[in-house]
Amino acid sequence: MGAMIFRRVAGPDGAAVRARIHDTPGPRWFAPGRPIRVVHGDASMFVGGLGALLLQSLHPLAMAAVAAHSGYRGDPWGRLQRTSAFLAVTTYGVADDARAAVEQVRGIHEKVRGTTPEGEPYHAADPRLLGWVHAAETECFLRAHERYGSGPLDRAGYDAYVADTARVAEALGVDDPPRDRRALTARLAAYRPELRATPEARAAARFLLLEPPLPLPVRPLYGVLAANAVTLLPSWARTLLRLPRLAVVEDITVRPAGHLLTRTIRWAMNPPPGASSSTSSPRLGTRTADGR
């Protein structure tokens, strides 16, 4: 099971990428034990990553750029693998590789320009747009870890996680990213007037929640993952995406199933006792699953 998940998340060259990330000597942006390593190395990232995609879709300019340029429908696994590799190298890789990964992404963003169906121009390198993507992603990763992580952090730990992610965000071109949870909450609220569910956003939600490119036997497990990703969203976001809250069902069935699923993924992707974390375990991250 762990090997299957790893192939989906990391791609055919995942083992080589993992070895390079963990075995290359040199200074890194984040020392062992930093909160960003803890959060990004946990199986809760599977829930948080899907929640982040749903939340990010509510910015019409960001969604227009994704719909026109990302190819998420034609190559969803490739997009997942590229995102997973970027998270892994900036979180765990040597500083030179992290900077190279950031520069590559910045080069791609610089080329992504266009106009929404309503005539609004967008540019993926716009610091304001990058700030929304970063804030939504950080919020969902944090909330998922807080709810489903194997060892939730305390308040200071999550503040430090937001500060850690700010280093990557600044490198990508975000102006003054939030550096604690209170600032993150305020930043998300500041974007509210810009957000709406466009037809492209609702189409993306349908694809992510109801039309995943997975074999039928696996879809019930993915359904559990998707349902728990929806529960991470703030109520206003769920309203915009027409995803109703069924409080009793969610509390009695959805969240317990989410805990069971993340524990199962964590167990499946853990290395055997005594195995090397960089050569034997099926993941890009540290001692638990790293993926989005």
Side-chain angles (χ1 to χ4, degrees), residues 34-141:
R34 286 298 307 174
I36 193 171
R37 284 181 166 237
V38 174
V39 174
H40 291 180
D42 191 84
S44 59
M45 287 285 283
F46 286 91
V47 181
L50 185 52
L53 293 175
L54 292 169
L55 187 56
Q56 288 167 348
S57 74
L58 290 174
H59 197 296
L61 301 186
M63 188 61 238
V66 168
H69 299 275
S70 77
Y72 75 91
R73 285 182 176 273
D75 185 25
W77 294 112
R79 187 167 190 261
L80 171 64
Q81 290 153 14
R82 292 187 292 273
T83 300
S84 175
F86 178 81
L87 281 171
V89 74
T90 52
T91 303
Y92 307 104
V94 296
D96 286 346
D97 285 351
R99 282 190 288 268
V102 165
E103 287 306 311
Q104 182 180 24
V105 171
R106 292 191 69 151
I108 293 170
H109 285 168
E110 188 60 38
K111 299 174 184 177
V112 175
R113 301 169 182 264
T115 305
T116 70
E118 293 76 24
E120 297 177 86
Y122 61 79
H123 183 199
D126 177 4
R128 178 73 179 172
L129 203 55
L130 290 170
W132 163 250
V133 172
H134 167 70
E137 178 181 90
T138 302
E139 171 74 2
C140 288
F141 288 171

Side-chain angles (χ1 to χ4, degrees), residues 174-221:
V174 177
D175 289 338
D176 189 27
R179 287 174 168 77
D180 59 37
R181 193 169 189 178
R182 182 176 179 179
L184 176 62
T185 300
R187 186 66 54 85
L188 288 165
Y191 277 98
R192 283 285 302 278
E194 302 173 35
L195 307 180
R196 63 180 185 272
T198 61
E200 293 80 11
R202 293 198 176 101
R206 284 194 300 273
F207 177 78
L208 291 169
L209 299 177
L210 302 176
E211 305 166 9
L214 291 168
L216 287 176
V218 182
R219 289 197 179 189
L221 295 177

